[in-house]
Amino acid sequence: MGKKMSERETIEKHQKFLQNEELIDIIKLDSIGTTSQPWSFLKLTCLFSYAYFTYAPIIKKNGYKNMCYVDLFSGTGLDTFEDYGGKKQHLLGSPVLMSTFDRTPFDRCYFFENDGHELLTKRLQLLKEKGKLTSTCKVYSSDCNESIDSLINELRDLDEAHFLLFVDPFSTEIHWSTMDKLLSMRYPHFDMLFNFNSFGINRKTSWEKYLPQFFSDESYKKCLSVPQTKRLDCYKEIYINKLKQYKNVKTLKVIKISSGSGFYYDLIYTTRKENAGYAKGIDHLKSIIEKMTGFDISVTTDSSMRTLDSYFE
């Protein structure tokens, strides 16, 4: 067993993937990047690390002919955030990370991006021209809630398929009717990472408009009567209990992603296999990620702070 990495070493290990300078130079297009926050690094570390080191090797080892990645809120492929010193840092978005694996690549990647689909398509084309795109990619230039049937039909037509599903809304943009269609699928099977943003949900002032379509009913109303300090966990508990009702969710784990200044969101992992041994990869990520915050990322990515080793001691 190798030496256990420190938090700082873990961040620096993933920087070579998430902040790959060669790929960023290809796609940055006059430094156009979606404004993000340092803690997005932790979320993408979870996605990339599980997909790259655990999911893809196991799926290919088990002989699946079509290993797919599905991203319902993909973004434009490049994010920017400010480090501790105020310098802008580029961060590869989920569609670029998942479609450029240098080993055990996905056979197909499906991206949903409504507003920025032209920019995402252009970036994927640039990667293809440079020989860096390792998957066949399809961009749906529409809301995933409107086009989910088309995706499901395409996935069902694939022979011996399995897919990794990433659901990363800002708050309530994913409708439960869409989730139900995916969770009710008999084939193909999938693992899921779902970014549950309780703070974003709680900020929705027009509850009657947004929350019923997110939760599928009015179960959320019981959360409105509890103290603010318990409301966020109430939302999460309701959603998790709904997920557990499906046969496609036999194992469920939660990783807390923290900003370092009070804000956080929960990354929910599910798989259809009960007591799945490969889910230990999620347990390992949880033990690492929950020790860190967005503030740690902003400090570590600031090159002027790299000599301050005592910060992480």
Side-chain angles (χ1 to χ4, degrees):
M1 183 178 291
K3 181 177 79 72
K4 184 178 180 180
M5 289 190 295
S6 67
E7 285 83 358
R8 177 169 184 161
E9 288 170 334
T10 299
I11 294 170
E12 291 177 340
K13 171 188 174 181
H14 286 88
Q15 274 187 284
K16 69 178 182 180
F17 298 111
L18 275 62
Q19 295 189 290
N20 184 309
E21 293 182 2
E22 182 182 9
L23 297 182
I24 289 172
D25 284 343
I26 294 172
I27 67 169
K28 65 181 181 182
L29 300 172
D30 299 323
S31 299
I32 297 174
T34 304
T35 301
S36 187
Q37 298 292 340
W39 52 89
S40 292
F41 187 103
L42 298 174
K43 172 182 62 181
L44 290 169
T45 292
C46 290
L47 172 65
F48 179 84
S49 187
Y50 179 70
Y52 190 78
F53 296 110
T54 301
Y55 179 85
I58 289 176
I59 292 301
K60 284 300 184 181
K61 184 179 179 180
N62 281 276
Y64 285 94
K65 293 181 180 179
N66 287 288
M67 181 179 72
C68 306
Y69 172 73
V70 175
D71 197 328
L72 299 187
F73 299 89
S74 64
T76 63
L78 185 67
D79 298 335
T80 61
F81 68 90
E82 287 191 359
D83 63 23
Y84 183 77
K87 180 183 177 182
K88 282 191 175 182
Q89 295 276 352
H90 288 298
L91 185 64
L92 294 175
S94 53
V96 175
L97 285 171
M98 295 295 102
S99 61
T100 57
F101 278 14
D102 58 6
R103 66 178 186 184
T104 327
F106 286 96
D107 298 291
R108 291 173 172 80
C109 291
Y110 300 93
F111 307 117
F112 287 82
E113 175 53 36
N114 197 354
D115 296 330
H117 61 89
E118 291 181 355
L119 187 52
L120 174 60
T121 299
K122 185 173 183 179
R123 284 179 168 144
L124 294 173
Q125 182 60 35
L126 289 171
L127 291 167
K128 183 176 181 179
E129 291 171 0
K130 295 293 184 178
K132 298 299 180 181
L133 201 65
T134 57
S135 306
T136 298
C137 297
K138 180 173 182 176
V139 177
Y140 285 86
S141 56
S142 58
D143 186 313
C144 64
N145 298 298
E146 299 172 359
S147 304
I148 196 66
D149 290 336
S150 177
L151 169 72
I152 289 175
N153 289 335
E154 188 161 344
L155 291 171
R156 283 173 174 163
D157 287 340
L158 297 177
D159 185 33
E160 296 183 37
H162 200 292
F163 67 99
L164 177 61
L165 173 64
F166 187 46
V167 188
D168 187 23
F170 287 109
S171 57
T172 60
E173 290 78 14
I174 183 73
H175 299 174
W176 185 259
S177 59
T178 300
M179 291 299 300
D180 177 70
K181 289 176 181 179
L182 290 163
L183 291 164
S184 300
M185 292 177 65
R186 291 188 177 183
Y187 175 86
H189 301 149
F190 64 92
D191 287 3
M192 178 175 71
L193 284 166
F194 186 110
N195 181 23
F196 191 86
N197 185 348
S198 296
F199 281 83
I201 295 167
N202 199 46
R203 283 196 297 266
K204 292 293 185 183
T205 54
S206 300
W207 285 310
E208 290 89 353
K209 179 179 179 181
Y210 297 104
L211 269 61
Q213 66 185 13
F214 180 74
F215 286 105
S216 80
D217 53 30
E218 295 186 345
S219 58
Y220 70 91
K221 285 189 173 180
K222 75 173 187 179
C223 301
L224 303 181
S225 61
V226 304
Q228 285 280 357
T229 54
K230 297 182 179 180
R231 186 176 296 174
L232 304 186
D233 284 339
C234 180
Y235 290 139
K236 181 177 65 176
E237 182 181 347
I238 288 174
Y239 207 86
I240 284 177
N241 286 336
K242 287 182 176 293
L243 292 174
K244 286 181 176 179
Q245 295 175 14
Y246 290 84
K247 292 182 179 180
N248 276 320
V249 179
K250 294 294 186 182
T251 297
L252 187 149
K253 298 175 182 289
V254 180
I255 300 176
K256 188 175 183 178
I257 310 289
S258 301
S259 70
S261 58
F263 175 84
Y264 67 88
Y265 47 73
D266 294 289
L267 200 59
I268 301 172
Y269 166 80
T270 74
T271 186
R272 71 182 301 274
K273 186 175 181 180
E274 195 168 5
N275 300 318
Y278 52 82
K280 291 179 180 178
I282 294 294
D283 293 331
H284 176 66
L285 282 169
K286 179 181 176 70
S287 68
I288 296 171
I289 296 297
E290 292 190 347
K291 292 179 181 178
M292 296 184 283
T293 68
F295 183 72
D296 298 332
I297 301 300
S298 68
V299 170
T300 305
T301 54
D302 181 356
S303 59
S304 66
M305 299 289 286
R306 287 179 182 169
T307 59
L308 302 182
D309 293 330
S310 60
Y311 172 78
F312 285 98
E313 293 180 355

